[in-house]
Amino acid sequence: MVILSNMKTVLILGGFGFIGSNIIKYIQNNSNDFEIIVFDKHSRHSHGVRFEGIKKVYVGNFSDTIAVKRIFQENKIDLVIHSISSTVPAKSDDIQFDILTNLIPTVKLLDIIKEFNVKDIVYISSGGAIYGPSDNKHLETDEAFPISSYGVVKLAIEKYLFLFSSQYNLRPLILRPSNIYGLYHYSLDQGIINIALRDAIVGKIFCIWGDGEGEKDYLHVDDFCHILFNLLSKGIHNTVINIGSGDLLSVNEIVRAIKKIIPSFKWRYQKAVLSDVRHVSLDSSRLISYIGEYEFKPFVEGLNEIYNWQKSLK
Amino acid sequence: MVILSNMKTVLILGGFGFIGSNIIKYIQNNSNDFEIIVFDKHSRHSHGVRFEGIKKVYVGNFSDTIAVKRIFQENKIDLVIHSISSTVPAKSDDIQFDILTNLIPTVKLLDIIKEFNVKDIVYISSGGAIYGPSDNKHLETDEAFPISSYGVVKLAIEKYLFLFSSQYNLRPLILRPSNIYGLYHYSLDQGIINIALRDAIVGKIFCIWGDGEGEKDYLHVDDFCHILFNLLSKGIHNTVINIGSGDLLSVNEIVRAIKKIIPSFKWRYQKAVLSDVRHVSLDSSRLISYIGEYEFKPFVEGLNEIYNWQKSLK
């Protein structure tokens, strides 16, 4: 007899996006505790990645309240993982669009969650876009000065999550990952490692914004997923947590690392965009206090893994 | 011959509201440096307060971008003072309304300001609603956990002001006053001192939310205006500043003070609202570093002043 009492239903918003896809893969490979429901604008992974064992897929626009509400009417959801964003930092110049398609649908989601008495939500915020320009290591308690609307909206969403926590006992777990890279990242707008590798493989010249000297923290998505479920298993909530590997790399170092794999790789420099934070370094002491010391995947190992995956797509 | 070279045109958004009215009175009584343009939903002060010497009044809804833009097309604005809010903390439960009528019109205003190359804007934020529940004195650098949408939206607006500062050299001066009281406060939803005095004068029983023991900082609007123009005259910008008198009073102390003036005054207690911050105490060291030590109007003096004014309205 199979006992299912510990089985939880997790709703992954944006389940076929980069982070969502990796979360699904992680659950399938590492956990028997979750039944997965996906809400996404696509009915399947747009690049044909196949996932086994997804219980249901709901297709819709995140702004469509009726579509979002239907999921809760038809299923008992135990946990929501919110990994939808309609914008990326460099493409959030249209602030109104950013607010209307990210902030408003999220507060409507919170109203629905409250109505259906769901208590647990994981929100994928941003360690790269929230803090703003500073050469110091950022603590979660630092005053945030985002230089993109993307960052302001993520911060506002964090604050609404805490507001619902104070008023309705919502239990938000808010994660501020640094620059996540890894498999299943197809974006043309975000994720320098994947974009550069793709350009290198097809022989296109890669464009670097600015001088490429600013250093940022890079985090492998496998580490991110592992840490996310570790925090969930420990019942951590009502907190915002930086997740960075501590591995600071400049874009110049990244392109040189790619050139070692693909010697024909070329790049050029173009004017920096205003919304790009030059330096991202996260203080991880809060994370360590929750999960203890953690061994992150070395960058070169992650890079080769993505290279092999990207080659296999050709 | 009158030399007008130092004359600046100030646009007061919400000029016929409580704070806006007092800013106008302050300019008229204390400064020859400003020509005043008012934008308000009303064509004149709704309670008949008369202002001399306003150059122009524009009537419109803050959400009406065309109406707001027309002011900048027809006038060279040097300074914008933004004192519009469509909500108060206790009435910001409809988060979507709050975002659509405060946050979105403000980011549209910032786009207009950028288009017309206006550099100086004063934003009246909130020292009472932004920080959230804590018994400590709040520093501007403290992590904010607003318990009302009103507070979250004000915080998001602050962040957008800094974003425009970093990208387009906007020079925002952001003020976080504590609980402002004073003349021309007609709201039925906000401003406990005026509401309680009105109830006392007409013999109505005043309702206290909660036990009335939480202490908050109260600030006379004359002090607020004086400090605002002092900061402006010193060219302070790109900063957020707490403004509190340091005078902490519980609602019970306030009603007892009113009872000394009007012995027939009665009150009762009702359930606290979730969005009400119980304790508000602001650290003013940043303010003092800009303007030096400042003598605030004593509460009892301010209270008697409002009492005499309110009586005169009958």
Side-chain angles (χ1 to χ4, degrees), chain A residues 95-96 98-100 103-104 107-108 140-141 143-149 152-153 155-156 159-160 162-164 166-168 240 274-275, chain B residues 95-96 98-100 103-104 107-108 140-141 143-149 152-153 155-156 159-160 162-164 166-168 240 274-275:
Chain A
I95 297 177
Q96 206 182 327
D98 198 21
I99 293 170
L100 291 175
L103 184 57
I104 298 242
V107 298
K108 285 174 164 179
E140 293 86 350
T141 50
E143 216 179 346
F145 294 107
I147 57 169
S148 63
S149 177
V152 178
V153 163
L155 188 66
K159 299 306 178 190
Y160 278 117
F162 281 114
L163 189 161
F164 275 74
S166 78
Q167 297 197 348
Y168 312 109
V240 46
L274 288 170
S275 57
Chain B
I95 297 176
Q96 206 181 329
D98 198 20
I99 293 170
L100 291 176
L103 184 57
I104 297 249
V107 298
K108 284 176 168 178
E140 293 87 347
T141 48
E143 215 179 348
F145 294 106
I147 58 169
S148 63
S149 176
V152 178
V153 163
L155 188 66
K159 299 308 177 189
Y160 278 118
F162 282 115
L163 188 160
F164 275 74
S166 78
Q167 297 198 348
Y168 312 108
V240 47
L274 288 171
S275 56

Side-chain angles (χ1 to χ4, degrees), chain B residues 234-305:
Chain B
K234 291 189 162 69
I236 309 294
H237 62 265
N238 269 356
T239 183
V240 47
I241 307 172
N242 284 340
I243 306 182
S245 67
D247 211 352
L248 296 196
L249 293 165
S250 71
V251 175
N252 288 332
E253 286 174 294
I254 292 170
V255 293
R256 285 196 295 264
I258 293 173
K259 200 173 174 70
K260 279 193 187 158
I261 306 174
I262 308 168
S264 62
F265 181 41
K266 286 191 172 61
W267 55 87
R268 65 183 176 82
Y269 297 86
Q270 64 185 20
K271 195 164 168 275
V273 292
L274 288 171
S275 56
D276 188 47
V277 178
R278 186 174 165 82
H279 182 90
V280 178
S281 175
L282 304 178
D283 183 297
S284 290
S285 34
R286 183 177 285 179
L287 175 65
I288 291 166
S289 76
Y290 290 129
I291 67 164
E293 289 295 337
Y294 179 87
E295 185 95 15
F296 289 91
K297 186 178 288 214
F299 174 70
V300 174
E301 187 183 326
L303 186 67
N304 276 288
E305 209 182 278

Side-chain angles (χ1 to χ4, degrees), chain A residues 51-116:
Chain A
F51 302 100
E52 306 303 322
I54 295 173
K55 191 180 167 196
K56 283 187 201 173
V57 175
Y58 286 84
V59 182
N61 185 312
F62 187 39
S63 294
D64 179 354
T65 314
I66 294 169
V68 175
K69 196 166 180 171
R70 185 176 302 128
I71 311 168
F72 293 85
Q73 287 164 332
E74 296 180 357
N75 306 276
K76 175 148 182 359
I77 305 294
D78 298 296
L79 167 67
V80 175
I81 298 180
H82 178 353
S83 69
I84 287 182
S85 176
S86 69
T87 53
V88 299
K91 302 239 166 144
S92 62
D93 284 356
D94 185 343
I95 297 177
Q96 206 182 327
F97 174 82
D98 198 21
I99 293 170
L100 291 175
T101 59
N102 289 306
L103 184 57
I104 298 242
T106 301
V107 298
K108 285 174 164 179
L109 169 73
L110 295 182
D111 277 333
I112 294 168
I113 281 181
K114 179 187 157 196
E115 182 185 341
F116 287 88

